[in-house]
């Protein structure tokens, strides 16, 4: 590798000819484009995440509320990190702990040399006085900072020294636990069975004994998701656990092979595919922890499905299961395999009897929210707060728990409820995050509202015209509001939840250092969709020194959804993939949220290409790019590139095959090119269950990229990690096989032992991406052997 600074490289004639440019275009490009060298890559690398994030001062990220009305957060500036604690009632801000003492004590306990301004604590609980429970490097410690200060690991098992390998390959004593509400115990999985551990003494109790391989309790290992975390819900009094026994005995296996010297290491786990006869099923149970008695709910096995995401657990919990406050009953939602029908059910925690309260069927798919599951069990008032997009917008409805009849709509009008954050049954008030409800504003901006369960007008609690990230206090009295736009860094306020009044400004981010590194804000724009009527929202990244007399190649960054679009977030981000870096190198980069790309708009927008995943929003990308080209003479519409990762990788290949005269260069990373080679849950929701066509083909034939590979004309780079356990690499190899059979030239980069996100090879892949676009889209030979420097997050 050469150092990050070095010699510039001039434009080569052969490189331009290889890129498909005519002789006049070659001369024109030579005049337009300066050479790009290693120092240019260095400047571009400064704008990559997390390099760029480290240059933002006093931006409040995640906020952690404590039980006593205080919260803590990490504050960062050029001097490093500090952990601050805020008292909501008084507004007082103080250090969360003695940083020097903790660094020494935690360093001694963990065997690491720690700096007080770079602790990177993952979780913090303040027990009393100077005593804390801290999560650091995925390990729990109890720290007493009185006196000289000391930290000790939370005992993981009866004998820390006697750790052994369990039959499911996990180290006994190190299993991740799910804490009980009273924090005295945690539940975990060992040898396919459920256990609990006393958090003070480490004493362990086995709750189930009949779990066996592929038929175990609380397991989180179906399809792309296969973690060690136990999926369960504790009752409010910490005496019962609602979970399931997961049956995968007939489910097909996914197999990957690591690259190594000697005997290959094989990874194998259960991975049901689209159309499989046998997929993962769950048998719902309730376990009484003190007696270790198990109650099987009286119902057939249920589909391994969520009402919102493509795994049974969306945010690490089991959001579709909710206990009554007294622990006597349990509410849960069951979904059909194709996600079109959902049933709301109540189980008796003593008898196991199950009653269906009501069900709902959607034309395409049912979602229970946008950013979080948003139905709520309200047993004290004998009601269910329900979420549905039946009116073309995501709204809340109130149902009678006994009759299952609709009482009334709670919210109304245009715009969506994105997520219910809190319901106060006594005050009959709901707090929710909504989008698209404020006329004249960006429909993706999040705002906090409250509304009565009895209906009526909703109250806006965050009036600023910006995107608002909200964290409610545990008692619902306050919330932290961090609001920003794509160009304006966040201001963070502590506000009252009853009226939205500001109590105190906590912080205001400073991007002076980020701007000094060359950062310029992306520019929001709107274009018309394929129907000529619908507004599409997008972002444009331009070179900082853009010369309107020149013409610049344009790159379309794409993620087609349907669960999330290309822009992804309309608040402030210091880095959005490497879009700003590519702009720094002389490209115009755009991201356009096409129709069908996400649920933030109307249901009609959301389901624009339902059952036709080969669409990938590409008709909208093409008309949007053309409209931008007409507006801006400095965009060269003869040099259009496209790239994306995962779903964006599949969309990129589809763009190169379906619109070969529009897109000249594409980089497809980790693409799910044929969803028959992807997990059943995700694809069967968006494309539907497979069905035979009249001609004998399949409803999945058209979405498969390999079936269109013969149309390739431009430059295509395919990249995939060989141990991608989300989208298996065979997806890309199907396209490779088709391209070879069609006698097409293409480029292939296999990253040995990399997972879906290219974690260890991310900087290398980024450099290769820049090289590929420079050489084939701009006609400039990139610098040789540059190694991008990227800070660890």
């Amino acid at each position: 590798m050469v150092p990050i600074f070095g010699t510039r490289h001039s434009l080569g004639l052969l490189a331009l000819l290889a890129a498909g440019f005519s002789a006049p275009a070659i001369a024109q490009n030579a005049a337009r484009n300066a050479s790009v060298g290693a120092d240019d890559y260095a400047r571009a690398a400064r704008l990559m995440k997390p390099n760029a994030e480290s240059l933002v001062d006093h931006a409040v990220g995640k906020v952690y509320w404590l039980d006593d009305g205080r919260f803590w957060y990490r504050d960062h500036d050029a001097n490093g990190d500090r952990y601050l604690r805020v008292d909501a009632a008084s507004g007082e801000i103080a250090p969360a702990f003695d940083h020097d003492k903790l660094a020494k004590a935690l360093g001694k306990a963990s065997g690491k040399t720690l700096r007080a301004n770079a602790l990177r604590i993952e979780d913090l609980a303040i027990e009393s006085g100077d005593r804390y429970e801290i999560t650091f490097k995925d390990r729990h410690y109890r720290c007493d900072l009185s006196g000289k200060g000391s930290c000790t690991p939370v005992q993981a098992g009866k004998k820390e020294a006697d750790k052994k390998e369990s039959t499911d390959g996990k180290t006994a004593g190190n299993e991740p636990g799910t804490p009980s509400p009273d924090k005295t115990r945690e539940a975990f999985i060992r040898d396919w069975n459920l256990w609990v551990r006393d958090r003070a003494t480490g004493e362990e109790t086995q709750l189930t004994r009949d779990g066996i391989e592929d038929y175990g309790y609380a397991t989180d290992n179906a399809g792309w998701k296969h973690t060690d975390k136990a999926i369960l819900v504790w009752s409010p009094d910490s005496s019962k656990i609602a979970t399931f026994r997961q049956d995968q005995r007939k489910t097909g296996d996914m197999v990957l092979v690591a690259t190594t010297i000697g005997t290959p290491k094989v990874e194998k786990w259960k991975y049901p595919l689209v159309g499989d006869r046998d997929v993962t099923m769950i048998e719902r149970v309730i376990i009484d922890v003190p007696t270790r008695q198990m109650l099987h709910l009286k119902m057939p096995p249920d589909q391994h499905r969520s009402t919102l995401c493509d795994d049974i657990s969306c945010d690490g919990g089991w959001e579709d299961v909710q206990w009554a406050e007294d622990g006597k009953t349990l509410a849960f939602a069951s979904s059909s395999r194709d996600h079109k029908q959902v049933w709301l059910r109540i189980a008796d925690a003593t008898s196991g009897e199950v009653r269906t309260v009501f069900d709902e069927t959607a034309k395409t798919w049912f979602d229970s929210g946008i950013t979080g599951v948003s139905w709520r069990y309200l047993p004290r008032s004998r009601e269910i707060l329900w979420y549905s997009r039946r009116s073309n917008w995501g709204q809340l409805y109130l149902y009678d728990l006994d009759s299952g009849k609709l009482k009334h709509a709670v919210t109304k009008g245009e715009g969506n409820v994105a997520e219910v954050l809190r319901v106060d049954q006594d005050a009959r008030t709901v707090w929710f995050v909504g989008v698209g409800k404020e006329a004249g504003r960006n429909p993706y901006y999040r705002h906090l509202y409250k509304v009565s369960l009895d209906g009526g007008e909703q109250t806006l609690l965050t009036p600023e015209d910006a995107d608002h990230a909200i964290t409610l206090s545990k008692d619902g009295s306050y919330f932290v509001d961090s609001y920003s736009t794509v160009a304006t860094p966040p201001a963070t306020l502590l506000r009252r939840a009853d009226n939205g009044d500001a109590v105190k400004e906590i912080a205001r981010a400073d991007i002076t250092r980020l701007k000094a590194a060359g950062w310029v804000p992306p520019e929001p724009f709107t274009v018309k969709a394929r129907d000529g009527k619908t507004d599409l929202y997008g972002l444009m990244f331009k070179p900082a020194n853009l010369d309107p007399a020149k013409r610049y190649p344009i790159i379309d960054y794409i993620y087609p959804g349907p669960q999330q679009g290309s822009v992804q977030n309309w608040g402030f981000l210091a880095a959005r993939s490497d879009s700003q870096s590519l702009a720094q190198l002389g490209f115009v980069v755009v991201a356009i949220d096409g129709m069908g790309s996400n649920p933030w708009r109307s249901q009609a927008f959301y389901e624009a290409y339902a059952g036709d995943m080969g669409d990938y929003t590409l008709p909208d990308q093409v008309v949007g790019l053309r409209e931008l080209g007409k507006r801006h003479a400095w965009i060269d519409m003869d040099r259009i590139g496209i790239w994306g990762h995962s779903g964006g990788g599949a969309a990129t290949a589809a763009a190169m095959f379906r619109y070969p005269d529009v897109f000249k260069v594409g980089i497809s990373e980790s693409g799910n090119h044929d969803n028959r080679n992807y997990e059943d849950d995700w694809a069967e929701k968006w494309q539907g269950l497979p069905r035979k066509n009249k001609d004998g083909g399949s409803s999945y034939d058209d979405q498969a990229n390999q079936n269109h590979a013969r149309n390739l004309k431009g430059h295509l780079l395919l990249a995939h990690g060989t141990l991608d356990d989300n989208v298996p690499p065979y997806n890309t190899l199907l396209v490779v096989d088709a391209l070879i059979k069609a006698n097409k030239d293409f480029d292939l980069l296999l990253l040995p032992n990399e997972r879906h996100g290219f974690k260890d090879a991310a900087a290398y892949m980024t450099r290769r991406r820049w090289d590929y676009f420079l050489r084939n889209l701009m006609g400039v030979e990139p610098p040789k052997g540059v190694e991008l420097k990227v800070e660890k997050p």
Side-chain angles (χ1 to χ4, degrees):
M1 293 292 181
V2 302
I4 199 67
F5 51 89
T7 309
R8 292 180 179 270
H9 294 261
S10 60
L11 177 64
L13 177 63
L14 291 177
L16 283 170
L17 289 172
F21 294 108
S22 64
I26 292 173
Q28 198 175 38
N29 281 314
R32 288 173 182 162
N33 297 319
S35 59
V36 176
D39 50 347
D40 299 300
Y41 271 38
R43 285 189 290 270
R46 292 187 69 189
L47 300 176
M48 290 171 57
K49 179 182 180 181
N51 294 357
E53 292 179 338
S54 70
L55 299 175
V56 178
D57 298 330
H58 310 302
V60 178
K62 193 170 182 180
V63 168
Y64 302 84
W65 279 98
L66 304 169
D67 291 326
D68 59 0
R70 294 180 293 175
F71 65 89
W72 66 271
Y73 68 96
R74 181 175 69 92
D75 180 56
H76 170 82
D77 63 16
N79 296 316
D81 299 340
R82 289 159 304 284
Y83 293 84
L84 300 177
R85 183 169 58 190
V86 182
D87 185 280
S90 67
E92 179 186 358
I93 303 177
F97 43 74
D98 186 315
H99 289 62
D100 290 320
K101 273 189 177 181
L102 182 61
K104 291 177 183 177
L106 197 56
K108 184 177 180 179
S110 64
K112 301 179 183 297
T113 300
L114 304 178
R115 291 182 291 124
N117 64 348
L119 289 173
R120 293 292 177 173
I121 288 172
E122 296 154 17
D123 199 6
L124 168 71
I126 302 173
E127 295 183 343
S128 63
D130 286 327
R131 291 193 295 274
Y132 307 84
E133 186 170 321
I134 289 170
T135 303
F136 172 75
K137 298 290 187 182
D138 294 325
R139 188 83 185 273
H140 301 296
Y141 297 87
R142 281 199 174 88
C143 299
D144 186 345
L145 300 186
S146 60
K148 292 183 178 181
S150 64
C151 291
T152 57
V154 175
Q155 192 172 357
K158 289 181 180 178
K159 293 183 179 179
E160 185 74 16
D162 292 341
K163 290 179 183 175
K164 60 182 180 63
E165 201 75 7
S166 62
T167 57
D168 60 2
K170 309 300 186 299
T171 301
N174 271 350
E175 302 90 348
T178 302
S180 59
D182 63 11
K183 302 293 192 296
T184 61
R185 287 173 287 198
E186 58 186 20
F188 63 93
I189 302 167
R190 181 183 297 159
D191 297 335
W192 304 95
N193 283 290
L194 193 63
W195 296 60
V196 291
R197 177 184 298 125
D198 187 288
R199 302 186 82 199
T201 66
E203 182 179 356
E204 296 175 348
T205 303
Q206 187 171 354
L207 297 180
T208 68
R209 296 186 177 275
D210 57 344
I212 58 174
E213 184 174 1
D214 300 326
Y215 192 30
Y217 289 93
T219 54
D220 186 27
N221 58 356
W224 68 268
K225 189 87 169 288
H226 50 113
T227 75
D228 299 331
K229 182 177 175 59
I231 304 303
L232 52 87
V233 184
W234 285 89
S235 63
D237 66 357
S238 301
S239 68
K240 299 183 182 68
I241 290 174
T243 187
F244 52 80
R245 191 177 188 186
Q246 183 166 269
D247 191 353
Q248 301 182 99
R249 290 171 293 178
K250 296 180 181 180
T251 303
D253 294 330
M254 179 56 63
V255 179
L256 298 175
V257 181
T259 301
T260 186
I261 296 173
T263 303
K265 179 182 178 182
V266 178
E267 293 187 6
K268 185 175 76 170
W269 74 101
K270 294 298 182 178
Y271 193 109
L273 295 172
V274 166
D276 280 358
R277 183 184 67 179
D278 297 306
V279 295
T280 303
M281 304 294 286
I282 62 171
E283 301 166 6
R284 299 176 184 266
V285 299
I286 295 174
I287 302 171
D288 185 272
V289 176
T291 65
R292 287 174 278 176
Q293 294 297 308
M294 182 186 302
L295 178 70
H296 292 265
L297 300 193
K298 297 178 181 178
M299 61 177 292
D302 218 345
Q303 297 288 334
H304 180 275
R305 293 291 184 265
S306 162
T307 62
L308 182 61
C309 60
D310 53 330
D311 185 71
I312 201 167
S313 170
C314 297
D315 296 317
W318 197 11
E319 298 82 3
D320 272 320
V321 175
Q322 299 173 23
W323 282 95
E325 291 167 317
D326 60 10
K328 294 181 178 180
T329 54
L330 184 78
F332 60 94
S334 300
S335 292
S336 60
R337 176 169 175 170
D338 61 5
H339 294 266
K340 289 185 178 181
Q341 190 172 9
V342 62
W343 297 264
L344 193 283
R345 290 169 168 150
I346 305 295
D348 187 294
T350 301
S351 67
E353 296 290 339
V354 176
R355 176 175 67 91
T356 298
V357 181
F358 59 82
D359 69 291
E360 180 170 344
T361 301
K363 182 181 69 174
T364 51
W365 52 72
F366 178 88
D367 277 342
S368 63
I370 296 178
T371 55
V373 170
S374 291
W375 65 267
R376 292 293 184 273
Y377 180 34
L378 309 175
R380 280 196 284 133
S381 61
R382 306 301 298 167
E383 293 167 319
I384 294 287
L385 182 65
W386 190 243
Y387 180 96
S388 172
R389 296 176 69 99
R390 67 186 67 158
S391 70
N392 197 38
W393 299 102
Q395 307 286 15
L396 298 175
Y397 300 86
L398 200 65
Y399 278 80
D400 183 272
L401 182 59
D402 297 310
S403 68
K405 300 296 184 182
L406 174 66
K407 299 176 74 171
H408 56 258
V410 175
T411 60
K412 58 186 177 181
E414 291 193 359
N416 296 304
V417 173
E419 182 178 6
V420 169
L421 298 184
R422 179 179 174 82
V423 178
D424 186 328
Q425 293 186 64
D426 295 326
R428 295 194 63 75
T429 303
V430 183
W431 284 265
F432 68 90
V433 174
V435 293
K437 289 183 168 293
E438 302 303 312
R441 296 188 179 183
N442 185 315
Y444 296 94
Y445 280 172
R446 296 168 293 174
H447 290 279
L448 182 65
Y449 301 86
K450 72 172 186 177
V451 68
S452 171
L453 277 172
D454 299 315
E457 295 301 315
Q458 61 202 16
T459 301
L460 175 65
L461 299 174
T462 52
E464 296 83 3
D465 186 3
D467 180 65
H468 295 257
I470 306 298
T471 311
L472 271 175
S473 64
K474 292 187 177 183
D475 66 358
S477 299
Y478 300 92
F479 66 93
V480 176
D481 174 18
S482 186
Y483 66 90
S484 63
T485 70
V486 296
T488 309
T492 303
L493 303 179
L494 175 65
R495 308 183 102 140
R496 294 192 59 85
D498 56 350
N499 55 21
D501 286 353
V503 176
K504 185 181 183 66
E505 181 174 293
I506 303 301
R508 192 170 290 267
D510 183 344
I511 57 173
T512 301
R513 293 192 296 133
L514 181 64
K515 287 182 175 179
W519 183 87
V520 293
E523 296 181 6
F525 63 83
T526 59
V527 291
K528 293 299 180 182
R530 66 187 80 178
D531 60 6
K533 298 180 293 185
T534 304
D535 283 333
L536 302 179
Y537 287 72
L539 291 180
M540 178 182 291
F541 303 80
K542 298 188 300 188
N545 58 348
L546 184 141
D547 182 349
K550 294 183 178 180
R551 288 169 65 77
Y552 295 83
I554 186 169
I555 297 172
D556 185 10
Y557 169 75
I558 186 169
Y559 189 84
Q563 75 277 28
Q564 181 175 288
S566 301
V567 175
Q568 299 182 2
N569 187 302
W570 284 91
F572 180 86
L573 292 176
R576 296 171 183 268
S577 185
D578 63 347
S579 295
Q580 187 63 55
S581 299
L582 283 167
Q584 183 88 341
L585 295 175
F587 298 96
V588 174
V589 183
V590 296
I592 303 171
D593 281 350
M595 293 182 69
S597 64
N598 59 65
W600 296 78
R601 307 282 293 278
S602 69
Q603 183 68 13
F605 182 98
Y606 184 22
E607 61 188 24
Y609 67 85
D612 181 19
M613 291 194 69
D615 179 287
Y616 288 116
T617 82
L618 293 174
D620 294 317
Q621 305 298 317
V622 172
V623 298
L625 288 166
R626 287 173 175 163
E627 186 174 339
L628 291 173
K630 291 178 181 178
R631 290 182 196 173
H632 307 295
W634 35 264
I635 293 178
D636 189 343
M637 293 299 290
D638 291 326
R639 293 187 291 167
I640 301 177
I642 186 170
W643 88 274
H645 191 96
S646 193
T652 294
M656 298 297 292
F657 301 156
R658 294 173 185 259
Y659 296 89
D661 295 322
V662 175
F663 298 99
K664 304 301 173 61
V665 181
I667 301 175
S668 168
E669 300 177 7
S670 305
N672 51 314
H673 297 286
D674 187 340
N675 287 293
R676 289 170 292 196
N677 258 30
Y678 192 47
E679 67 147 10
D680 63 323
D681 197 346
W682 190 84
E684 288 182 352
K685 178 176 182 178
W686 311 114
Q687 179 73 15
L689 298 176
R691 62 183 186 279
K692 289 279 188 179
N693 296 332
K694 291 181 179 179
D695 61 3
S698 166
S699 58
Y700 272 70
D701 288 342
D702 186 65
Q703 59 83 44
N705 277 338
Q706 71 269 17
N707 292 337
H708 305 276
R710 63 187 178 277
N711 300 323
L712 177 66
K713 292 182 180 180
H715 295 269
L716 174 62
L717 171 60
L718 298 163
H720 218 117
T722 63
L723 285 184
D724 188 336
D725 51 358
N726 183 332
V727 178
Y730 316 118
N731 277 267
T732 287
L733 295 179
L734 286 172
V735 177
V736 168
D737 184 52
L739 289 167
I740 291 171
K741 289 176 178 175
N743 196 32
K744 295 293 181 178
D745 293 340
F746 64 97
D747 294 286
L748 175 65
L749 178 58
L750 293 178
L751 301 168
N753 300 329
E754 287 295 327
R755 302 292 185 182
H756 190 58
F758 303 163
K759 180 180 178 182
D760 293 329
Y764 176 80
M765 184 67 228
T766 301
R767 194 266 292 173
R768 291 293 301 272
R769 187 185 312 128
W770 297 358
D771 289 354
Y772 203 77
F773 279 132
L774 280 170
R775 182 178 293 118
N776 297 300
L777 191 62
M778 186 180 285
V780 172
E781 188 62 23
K784 301 297 184 184
V786 172
E787 184 175 5
L788 300 184
K789 303 297 184 182
V790 183
E791 295 182 9
K792 291 184 178 181

